[in-house]
Amino acid sequence: MKKTLLATAIVGALGASAAAQAATVYDQDGTKLDVYGRIAMGIAGGGAEYNSDNQRIDNSEEFVDVYSRLGLRMSQEVTSDLTAFGRLEWRFSGDERTGPSGNGNSGFNEVRQSYLGLQSKQYGTFQAGNFDSFYNQFVSLPFDVYIDRGLEFAGHPKQSRGDSIGYYTPDLQGFTAFLQLKHYSERGELEPVREEGNVVAPQGGVRYQQGPFTVGLGFVEDVVRGGGNGEMLGGLIGSYAVNDQFSVRLGYEGREQSDTLGGGFDKVGLGGTYTTGPWAFTADIYDVSNDSSAESDRTAWALGSYYKVSSNFDVFLELNQADQQSISVNVFDGSNNLVDVEQAEGDDVYYLTGARYHF
């Protein structure tokens, strides 16, 4: 069994990967240009019943875009050992009309990735720009199997996506080490700037792959500027391919408690993926313990089923319950006088079903 089985088989089971479906537009004299993307739409419903202000919100079904995208992948062989590369990817709304006469959007609504770099078989890979978190790529990836919700560990935006540089080694007898730096700049801001000034958020670690076994150990300096609490986040996450059809995964991720912002937690996740023919099924459960007394511990779970109609077209159904903590809701009478305080459940089961066409 190839050591890349878990990293590729799950992606392939959930729908054809961008790499497999990419159309090569140009390939000559070591220079290559691929175009890839997907159109994805579905129906979503359920989820949180209350917002952060303890106000009840509607969580009925809605026709949604499911992360449609269009991308370019470029590369050029500099020498037999060195390759220059670049990637550019946009997201667009595929579920409704866009533009001046539509809903006001211009169609493309996000530059999802845009980076360039150099790759050496002997010395490793260096890249810079806007790309997925290396922590996600090398540590939490075994659990990142859901199209939408379900991943409780750090995802691809974690202290990444823009103004970043990163390096990872070639495969060293199964080991790959990585380091990434995300820069938050104060350039152009009015004086006095924030007290912390310019901030660099590092992340790094090592992944080991051997046969059906994969394990990643890493850290992220979860700075406040990037949505963190200013403390260190770390994880140890692994997976094991029992056979060509069944793989299991187990992981731990924790973040230190901040004296001022709180936000400390410990998460333990357990899951698995089973594939048979054109079908794939996923199941994951997490135990989340919060360090702050103001936040309740919770048990989150996710289920997914996916069917490949063809190599380019797949349909799916995903269920997720984050087990959002109960919320205190104020009850008023007709004169707007507070008469009671009720404890309301925080969320319903979130569901998403739809289809994707890859090109």
Side-chain angles (χ1 to χ4, degrees), residues 36-214:
Y36 68 92
R38 70 176 181 234
I39 300 174
M41 287 170 280
I43 298 174
E49 294 183 292
Y50 295 86
N51 62 18
S52 58
D53 295 324
N54 292 358
Q55 298 170 317
R56 190 177 182 89
I57 59 175
D58 182 89
N59 64 355
S60 59
E61 65 280 349
E62 179 187 11
F63 193 61
V64 296
D65 176 84
V66 188
Y67 309 112
S68 300
R69 62 189 61 172
L70 174 65
L72 302 174
R73 185 181 290 107
M74 303 145 277
S75 65
Q76 184 178 48
E77 293 183 5
V78 180
T79 68
S80 59
D81 179 67
L82 186 65
T83 299
F85 63 86
R87 185 174 178 182
L88 178 60
E89 184 178 289
W90 301 269
R91 275 186 177 153
F92 61 89
S93 299
D95 63 319
E96 57 187 341
R97 186 179 182 184
T98 57
S101 59
N103 62 6
N105 294 331
S106 60
F108 290 103
N109 50 38
E110 179 186 13
V111 179
R112 185 176 181 273
Q113 300 197 70
S114 53
Y115 60 90
L116 49 82
L118 294 170
Q119 182 175 45
S120 168
K121 301 174 185 177
Q122 182 178 1
Y123 298 107
T125 300
F126 174 85
Q127 62 188 56
N130 167 26
F131 50 86
D132 289 347
S133 158
F134 277 9
Y135 176 91
N136 175 251
Q137 295 182 53
F138 291 99
V139 180
S140 61
L141 185 63
F143 280 84
D144 196 2
V145 297
Y146 294 94
I147 298 171
D148 194 7
R149 304 181 188 180
L151 175 66
E152 289 284 339
F153 295 142
H156 50 77
K158 175 57 70 177
Q159 299 297 345
S160 190
R161 287 304 179 79
D163 299 330
S164 297
I165 58 173
Y167 167 80
Y168 57 92
T169 67
D171 187 307
L172 304 172
Q173 297 184 331
F175 289 94
T176 302
F178 65 93
L179 177 65
Q180 178 184 337
L181 303 175
K182 161 79 172 180
H183 184 245
Y184 295 92
S185 175
E186 295 289 349
R187 181 177 173 85
E189 298 292 331
L190 296 176
E191 295 284 0
V193 297
R194 295 180 179 86
E195 182 179 349
E196 65 270 24
N198 296 328
V199 174
V200 175
Q203 58 184 277
V206 62
R207 180 188 65 189
Y208 178 73
Q209 289 183 320
Q210 189 64 47
F213 180 72
T214 300

Side-chain angles (χ1 to χ4, degrees), residues 14 21 46 56 98 163 177 184 205 259 270 285 292 317 320 328 335:
L14 306 192
Q21 297 303 312
R56 190 177 182 89
T98 57
D163 299 330
Y184 295 92
D259 293 336
L270 173 66
I285 187 167
S292 173
L317 170 65
N320 170 244
S328 298
S335 301

Side-chain angles (χ1 to χ4, degrees), residues 153-288:
F153 295 142
H156 50 77
K158 175 57 70 177
Q159 299 297 345
S160 190
R161 287 304 179 79
D163 299 330
S164 297
I165 58 173
Y167 167 80
Y168 57 92
T169 67
D171 187 307
L172 304 172
Q173 297 184 331
F175 289 94
T176 302
F178 65 93
L179 177 65
Q180 178 184 337
L181 303 175
K182 161 79 172 180
H183 184 245
Y184 295 92
S185 175
E186 295 289 349
R187 181 177 173 85
E189 298 292 331
L190 296 176
E191 295 284 0
V193 297
R194 295 180 179 86
E195 182 179 349
E196 65 270 24
N198 296 328
V199 174
V200 175
Q203 58 184 277
V206 62
R207 180 188 65 189
Y208 178 73
Q209 289 183 320
Q210 189 64 47
F213 180 72
T214 300
V215 63
L217 174 66
F219 74 91
V220 180
E221 185 64 41
D222 208 3
V223 301
V224 176
R225 294 281 292 279
N229 69 340
E231 300 294 336
M232 188 72 71
L233 177 148
L236 176 63
I237 299 172
S239 60
Y240 180 76
V242 180
N243 52 43
D244 289 338
Q245 294 180 287
F246 182 56
S247 62
V248 294
R249 45 189 174 267
L250 176 66
Y252 164 81
E253 186 175 273
R255 186 172 66 185
E256 297 175 13
Q257 176 84 347
S258 168
D259 293 336
T260 56
L261 298 176
F265 60 76
D266 294 281
K267 300 178 180 180
V268 177
L270 173 66
T273 296
Y274 177 75
T275 63
T276 175
W279 285 97
F281 303 93
T282 61
D284 292 272
I285 187 167
Y286 296 85
D287 178 74
V288 181

